[in-house]
C-alpha cells in the first residue's frame, strides 16, 4: 500500500509538472499571439493610412484633370474663335488687295491718259 501511495504521489507530481509545463507553454503562446495581433493591427493601420492617402491623391488628381480638361476646352474654343477671326481678316485682306490692284490699274490707266494728254498738249 505504501509503495502504491508513493507511486501515486510520483504520478500526481509528474502530472502536476506536466500541467505546469503546459500552462507555461500556453501562456507563452498566448503572449506571442497577442504580440502578433498587435503587429498585424499596426500593419493594418499603416495599410489603411496608405490607402486613404492614395485615394486622397487620386481625388486630387481627378480634380486637377478636370480643371485641365476645362482649360483645354476653353483654349480650344478660343483657338476656334481666333481661327474664325483670322479667316475673316484674310477675306478682308484679299478684298483690300483686290481693291488695291484695281486702284493701281485705274491709276496706271489715268497716268497713261494723262501722259497722252500731256504729249498732245506739248505738240500743240
Amino acid at each position: 500500500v505504501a509503495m502504491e501511495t508513493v507511486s501515486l504521489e510520483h504520478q500526481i507530481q509528474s502530472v502536476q509538472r506536466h500541467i505546469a509545463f503546459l500552462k507555461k507553454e500556453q501562456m507563452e503562446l498566448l503572449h506571442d499571439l497577442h504580440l502578433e495581433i498587435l503587429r498585424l493591427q499596426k500593419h493594418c493601420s499603416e495599410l489603411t493610412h496608405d490607402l486613404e492617402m492614395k485615394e486622397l491623391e487620386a481625388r486630387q488628381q481627378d480634380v486637377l484633370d478636370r480643371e485641365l480638361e476645362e482649360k483645354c476646352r476653353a483654349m480650344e474654343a478660343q483657338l476656334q474663335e481666333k481661327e474664325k477671326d483670322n479667316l475673316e481678316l484674310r477675306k478682308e485682306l484679299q478684298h483690300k488687295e483686290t481693291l488695291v490692284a484695281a486702284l493701281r490699274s485705274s491709276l496706271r490707266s489715268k497716268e497713261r491718259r494723262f501722259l497722252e494728254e500731256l504729249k498732245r498738249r506739248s505738240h500743240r
Side-chain angles (χ1 to χ4, degrees):
V1 176
M3 193 65 166
E4 287 179 18
T5 306
V6 170
S7 177
L8 280 175
E9 286 177 3
H10 284 297
Q11 286 178 355
I12 291 172
Q13 288 173 355
S14 178
V15 167
Q16 287 174 339
R17 281 193 304 274
H18 284 301
I19 290 172
F21 174 77
L22 289 174
K23 282 183 178 180
K24 180 182 171 228
E25 288 292 312
Q26 183 184 27
M27 291 303 292
E28 288 175 5
L29 181 61
L30 282 173
H31 178 72
D32 291 344
L33 286 173
H34 282 294
L35 290 177
E36 181 66 10
I37 288 169
L38 290 173
R39 186 190 70 75
L40 289 172
Q41 285 175 334
K42 181 181 177 195
H43 186 62
C44 182
S45 294
E46 291 169 354
L47 290 174
T48 301
H49 179 262
D50 290 346
L51 181 61
E52 288 170 350
M53 293 306 291
K54 286 180 181 175
E55 288 174 349
L56 177 62
E57 289 171 4
R59 284 193 300 273
Q60 289 172 341
Q61 189 61 46
D62 287 345
V63 168
L64 288 175
D65 289 348
R66 281 194 296 278
E67 287 175 357
L68 284 175
E69 284 176 13
E70 289 173 15
K71 286 179 183 178
C72 282
R73 281 194 286 277
M75 294 300 279
E76 286 172 350
Q78 281 182 343
L79 178 63
Q80 287 177 348
E81 190 63 33
K82 296 292 181 190
E83 286 175 346
K84 183 179 155 191
D85 291 346
N86 280 345
L87 183 60
E88 290 174 11
L89 288 172
R90 281 191 194 106
K91 287 179 183 177
E92 188 178 329
L93 180 63
Q94 206 171 24
H95 176 70
K96 287 185 179 185
E97 285 174 346
T98 303
L99 287 176
V100 167
L103 286 172
R104 282 186 180 148
S105 175
S106 172
L107 183 62
R108 276 189 236 111
S109 174
K110 286 181 181 181
E111 187 180 18
R112 266 186 267 117
R113 276 185 270 140
F114 175 75
L115 289 174
E116 289 171 6
E117 181 66 30
L118 197 59
K119 281 182 188 176
R120 272 198 313 262
R121 287 187 183 181
S122 68
H123 284 302
R124 286 190 214 159

